[in-house]
């Protein structure tokens, strides 16, 4: 056989084989595509806008609008909650939620009850996971703060009126509220709670020699030196928030215990402090 002919045949076979392999690989769905197909069948009312199976080994991160949840790579098991990197001590879920919505008030991911209701209604196989419904109490009209320790608070501002603010240092509306309150004649007790992976920042503020200055640096995103002190007050803040259904920030509590959820302008706050009703 002519050597040039043989070489031509070998090259042709190689090209054909490579093309066949490339076609086979192209026809094989990715992990993201497989999960998307399974979720379409099992959660038909939840349309994923983005799926990423490379964030955490063994899990796929699923974004559905402003919600975030996780599945295994087969799409069989649904995980609603937070993913923490214990080496970097970072809340990966909170970071993604902030990327999705920089003005996020609360980073609870997806609500388990919402997905559970859909799973119940969907014509899914018997292997469909059963999610436990969350039993969070409705936000109270009034609360008592007397049992909360001073070690979990930063006091600032001057004035006759007093407010307590449950805040998170990664919450854009908390920072905006902080700026509004600085323009008002009011005394503020700020109680940090970590909804967006900010526990280490809260500890640095509470343990700082000058808590007021540290508070400002935290809202500006500046680095704070780590230090140790009694942080049981932060535990008390977060336990109180869970018990009273404070699943978003900011939460504002008036001197008489009345509760206002979410950001308000200083004009609205002035009306509320005077006893007026606000929406």
């Amino acid at each position: 056989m002519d050597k040039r002919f043989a070489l031509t045949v070998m090259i042709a076979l190689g090209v054909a084989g490579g093309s066949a392999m490339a076609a086979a690989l192209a026809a094989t769905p990715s992990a993201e595509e497989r999960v998307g197909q399974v979720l379409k069948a099992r959660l038909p009312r939840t349309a994923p806008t983005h799926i990423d199976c490379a964030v955490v080994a063994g899990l796929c991160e699923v974004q559905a609008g402003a919600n975030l949840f996780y599945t295994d790579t087969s799409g069989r098991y649904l995980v609603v909650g937070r993913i923490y990197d214990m080496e970097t001590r970072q809340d990966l879920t909170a970071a993604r939620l902030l990327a999705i919505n920089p003005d996020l008030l609360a980073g609870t991911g997806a609500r388990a009850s919402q997905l559970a209701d859909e799973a119940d209604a969907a014509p899914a196989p018997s292997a469909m996971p059963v999610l436990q419904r969350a039993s969070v109490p409705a936000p109270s009209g009034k609360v008592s703060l007397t049992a909360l320790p001073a070690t979990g608070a930063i006091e600032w501002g001057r004035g006759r009126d007093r407010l307590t603010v449950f805040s998170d240092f990664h919450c854009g509306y908390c920072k905006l509220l902080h700026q509004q309150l600085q323009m008002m004649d009011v005394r503020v007790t700020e109680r940090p709670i970590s909804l967006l992976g900010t526990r280490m920042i809260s500890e640095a503020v509470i343990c700082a020699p000058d808590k007021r200055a540290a508070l400002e640096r935290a809202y500006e995103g500046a680095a704070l030196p780590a230090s140790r002190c009694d942080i049981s007050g932060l535990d008390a803040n977060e336990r109180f928030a869970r018990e009273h259904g404070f699943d978003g920030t900011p939460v504002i509590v008036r001197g008489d215990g009345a509760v206002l959820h979410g950001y308000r302008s200083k004009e609205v706050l002035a009306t509320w402090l005077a006893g007026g009703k606000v929406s």
Side-chain angles (χ1 to χ4, degrees):
M1 179 182 294
D2 183 87
K3 291 183 178 180
R4 286 178 298 178
F5 176 75
L7 181 60
T8 303
V9 171
M10 290 174 65
I11 292 173
L13 288 173
V15 170
S19 299
M21 183 177 293
L25 289 174
T28 303
S30 65
E32 288 81 2
E33 290 171 331
R34 290 196 305 270
V35 169
Q37 292 169 0
V38 173
L39 291 180
K40 184 177 181 181
R42 293 182 171 173
L43 298 174
R45 296 199 301 273
T46 299
T49 51
H50 182 69
I51 299 174
D52 189 345
C53 297
V55 176
V56 178
L59 288 179
C60 294
E61 177 189 274
V62 183
Q63 179 186 343
N67 289 316
L68 203 67
F69 59 95
Y70 306 88
T71 74
D72 68 315
T73 53
S74 73
R76 174 178 177 178
Y77 298 103
L78 189 62
V79 181
V80 180
R82 296 185 177 281
I83 302 294
Y84 290 90
D85 186 330
M86 292 193 291
E87 288 190 6
T88 64
R89 301 183 71 179
Q90 183 184 12
D91 185 335
L92 300 181
T93 306
R96 280 290 295 127
L97 286 168
L98 281 171
I100 294 169
N101 181 4
D103 291 328
L104 192 69
L105 289 177
T108 53
R111 296 198 178 274
S113 57
Q114 174 186 341
L115 293 175
D117 289 340
E118 182 172 354
D120 290 343
S126 58
M128 181 68 197
V130 178
L131 300 178
Q132 184 177 5
R133 286 171 170 77
S135 55
V136 177
S140 324
K142 283 192 176 185
V143 297
S144 172
L145 305 175
T146 55
L148 286 173
T151 54
I154 305 102
E155 303 281 348
W156 62 274
R158 294 180 179 179
R160 180 191 63 185
D161 295 317
R162 296 188 65 98
L163 286 177
T164 297
V165 179
F166 290 84
S167 56
D168 187 295
F169 293 120
H170 278 175
C171 161
Y173 284 117
C174 295
K175 180 178 179 179
L176 191 57
L177 175 66
H178 183 73
Q179 293 168 345
Q180 293 287 296
L181 291 174
Q182 287 178 318
M183 296 185 285
M184 298 178 64
D185 187 26
V186 62
R187 296 180 64 183
V188 178
T189 300
E190 193 135 1
R191 290 191 171 275
I193 56 176
S194 178
L195 295 178
L196 301 172
T198 50
R199 177 59 188 242
M200 292 179 67
I201 302 174
S202 299
E203 291 178 6
V205 171
I206 287 293
C207 296
D210 186 343
K211 295 182 178 60
R212 179 73 178 85
L215 179 75
E216 296 301 325
R217 288 177 61 82
Y219 272 126
E220 292 304 321
L224 290 169
S227 55
R228 297 192 176 189
C229 68
D230 178 8
I231 55 173
S232 60
L234 293 175
D235 297 331
N237 291 348
E238 293 176 358
R239 184 166 55 251
F240 183 91
R242 288 194 302 271
E243 291 171 353
H244 291 83
F246 295 178
D247 59 356
T249 52
V251 177
I252 313 164
V253 183
R254 203 166 55 191
D256 63 353
V259 178
L260 192 61
H261 292 258
Y263 165 79
R264 298 295 193 282
S265 68
K266 60 186 178 65
E267 292 79 14
V268 173
L269 289 172
T271 299
W272 186 61
L273 281 169
K277 292 184 178 180
V278 300
S279 57

